[in-house]
Amino acid sequence: MHKVSVLAITKNGIIIGEKLKGLFPNWDVFAPEKLTNKNNEITWYSEGTTNKIIELFKNSNALICLFSLGAVIRLVAPHLKDKKIDPAVIVIDDKTNFVISVLSGHIGGANELTQEIAEKLNALPVITTAADVNKTIAVDLVGKEFGWKIDDETTVTKISAHMVNEESIGVYQQVGNKEWYKQLPKNVKIYDSLDELKKSNSKAHLIISDRVIDNKLSQESVIYRPESLVIGIGLHWDTTKETIKEGIEYCLDKFNLSSKSIAKLVSIKKPEDVKGLIELGEEMKIPVEYVDREELAEIITPNPSTTVKAFEGTASVSEAAAIKVSKGELIVEKQKFPPNLTVAIARKME
């Protein structure tokens, strides 16, 4: 975690805080100035603890409180917003008997951090999240380590309930890293196609795909979007952001592909970067990559163009760039948007 803050408000808590600082040197430890023991590795604060904990809660990725659970709950409760943005909160008692995961156990990483701290302190980890207690799949964490996005968060709670209740769950994976789970629970079965998944008696589904899934199936599924698509773009120096965006959206819609699975926008390296492409990458928060014309000229593509070769020094830009950067297969051949845009899409190979 980027920023972990430890808050101690008792003498025993300060001793525990010093121990944690020794175990985790990058963590910041805070304690009231009135209890100072002159340890320069601790930040001694003069304001009230009520204000301090709010400051740390808002500015930390994880907050470890070395005092009672009840007090922590009362202090942070008014500032809770959403499990996707609230920091992990952990409580350790005054004698280090227990390390308790309080808030943001899965997405915020409190459960994992609780286990790590408890092991180092020889304490008992207290984790109450159903998926962890039942040693089953945490639906909201699938693929997180690989950067997968969840298509629609509204189905997570429902599908999680089916999972922890050990009802039949079907999985279909079309793209992405296969190592997202090492051993599946007995109630989870993998299917080789969406048709098989639909015909199964599964109560709910986990679908890992870059394709658009029909509404009926998606309502009973959590759909994960690995960054598997590389968009190749052939364009002029004056092609606008709006033109590029419309071309990409047309291709995604025509070929039933999800924009959430776009990994990169790629094109030929020109003397100056095309402003419209830069702006679109920034707007979509997708990296833009350029390939030298000599490298593109070496790629075999299905739709080479003598006209493109005359202008760019390579017979293909959009198809060749997509294939080159993805190191995978072309799934959408060059789509033309006269007079100044072509788009092709390749799928990365894991």
Side-chain angles (χ1 to χ4, degrees):
M1 291 195 181
H2 301 299
K3 182 171 177 55
V4 179
S5 299
V6 179
L7 181 59
I9 62 172
T10 66
K11 289 183 178 180
N12 278 346
I14 291 169
I15 294 171
I16 299 167
E18 290 173 327
K19 188 171 184 179
L20 288 173
K21 182 69 175 176
L23 293 168
F24 305 94
N26 293 328
W27 292 5
D28 298 315
V29 181
F30 300 84
E33 193 173 50
K34 64 183 179 182
L35 298 178
T36 182
N37 62 12
K38 307 301 182 182
N39 185 337
N40 292 329
E41 292 194 321
I42 293 178
T43 300
W44 305 98
Y45 62 87
S46 57
E47 66 266 41
T49 294
T50 298
N51 292 330
K52 193 66 184 178
I53 195 172
I54 293 169
E55 174 197 326
L56 297 178
F57 182 83
K58 292 180 177 179
N59 297 305
S60 305
N61 299 115
L63 174 60
I64 301 167
C65 298
L66 308 180
F67 51 99
S68 80
L69 174 60
V72 173
I73 291 173
R74 283 192 295 272
L75 288 167
V76 304
H79 306 283
L80 301 182
K81 292 183 179 178
D82 188 284
K83 67 178 183 180
K84 294 190 286 294
I85 58 174
D86 288 335
V89 176
I90 294 169
V91 167
I92 303 175
D93 69 278
D94 218 36
K95 295 295 184 181
T96 64
N97 292 316
F98 305 101
V99 182
I100 308 168
S101 175
V102 179
L103 190 68
S104 297
H106 278 162
I107 296 177
N111 292 353
E112 185 178 352
L113 191 56
T114 291
Q115 293 279 11
E116 185 178 2
I117 294 170
E119 184 177 339
K120 301 249 186 208
L121 295 180
N122 195 28
L124 183 67
V126 179
I127 296 171
T128 58
T129 314
D132 294 273
V133 172
N134 291 292
K135 299 189 183 303
T136 189
I137 296 173
V139 169
D140 53 350
L141 287 187
V142 170
K144 183 180 178 183
E145 62 186 298
F146 307 119
W148 297 358
K149 303 180 184 76
I150 292 178
D151 199 53
D152 181 0
E153 296 276 355
T154 63
T155 63
V156 169
T157 300
K158 178 172 64 173
I159 307 308
S160 295
H162 291 309
M163 183 69 75
V164 299
N165 287 327
E166 298 186 339
E167 296 177 283
S168 60
I169 305 291
V171 176
Y172 168 66
Q173 182 170 6
Q174 173 225 356
V175 292
N177 195 303
K178 303 285 186 181
E179 300 297 317
W180 60 273
Y181 202 85
K182 296 196 170 31
Q183 185 175 357
L184 294 173
K186 61 184 179 181
N187 63 311
V188 179
K189 182 178 178 180
I190 294 178
Y191 294 89
D192 293 329
S193 70
L194 279 177
D195 285 339
E196 287 184 21
L197 187 70
K198 290 177 181 179
K199 293 174 184 175
S200 72
N201 294 319
S202 303
K203 192 78 173 178
H205 321 96
L206 307 183
I207 299 175
I208 306 159
S209 174
D210 56 26
R211 295 197 171 278
V212 175
I213 307 300
D214 68 69
N215 284 336
K216 185 176 180 181
L217 184 60
S218 64
Q219 287 171 7
E220 300 302 327
S221 308
V222 177
I223 301 170
Y224 306 91
R225 301 299 189 187
E227 292 183 346
S228 56
L229 303 177
V230 174
I231 312 292
I233 301 167
L235 72 178
H236 296 178
W237 66 270
D238 60 349
T239 307
T240 65
K241 177 187 75 173
E242 291 74 22
T243 297
I244 304 169
K245 185 175 183 180
E246 287 173 8
I248 291 173
E249 289 176 345
Y250 173 87
C251 292
L252 293 174
D253 184 61
K254 180 179 178 180
F255 294 93
N256 296 314
L257 297 168
S258 171
S259 62
K260 292 182 181 178
S261 284
I262 300 175
K264 285 182 179 179
L265 307 178
V266 297
S267 189
I268 190 170
K269 187 172 182 59
K270 293 178 179 288
E272 292 185 20
D273 294 342
V274 176
K275 182 181 178 183
L277 186 55
I278 295 172
E279 291 176 344
L280 183 60
E282 292 173 349
E283 179 182 304
M284 298 180 71
K285 295 182 173 56
I286 296 172
V288 177
E289 183 174 330
Y290 302 98
V291 185
D292 289 331
R293 69 186 71 251
E294 293 80 10
E295 294 182 79
L296 295 179
E298 296 175 355
I299 305 296
I300 298 173
T301 61
N303 300 288
S305 167
T306 54
T307 302
V308 172
K309 186 172 184 179
F311 280 96
E312 299 287 10
T314 173
S316 174
V317 173
S318 58
E319 290 182 338
I323 293 170
K324 173 71 177 178
V325 173
S326 70
K327 298 179 181 178
E329 61 175 339
L330 195 67
I331 60 171
V332 175
E333 293 187 8
K334 178 171 66 177
Q335 305 292 300
K336 299 179 181 180
F337 303 92
N340 58 2
L341 179 70
T342 60
V343 175
I345 304 176
R347 180 176 286 130
K348 292 165 62 177
M349 302 296 288
E350 291 292 337

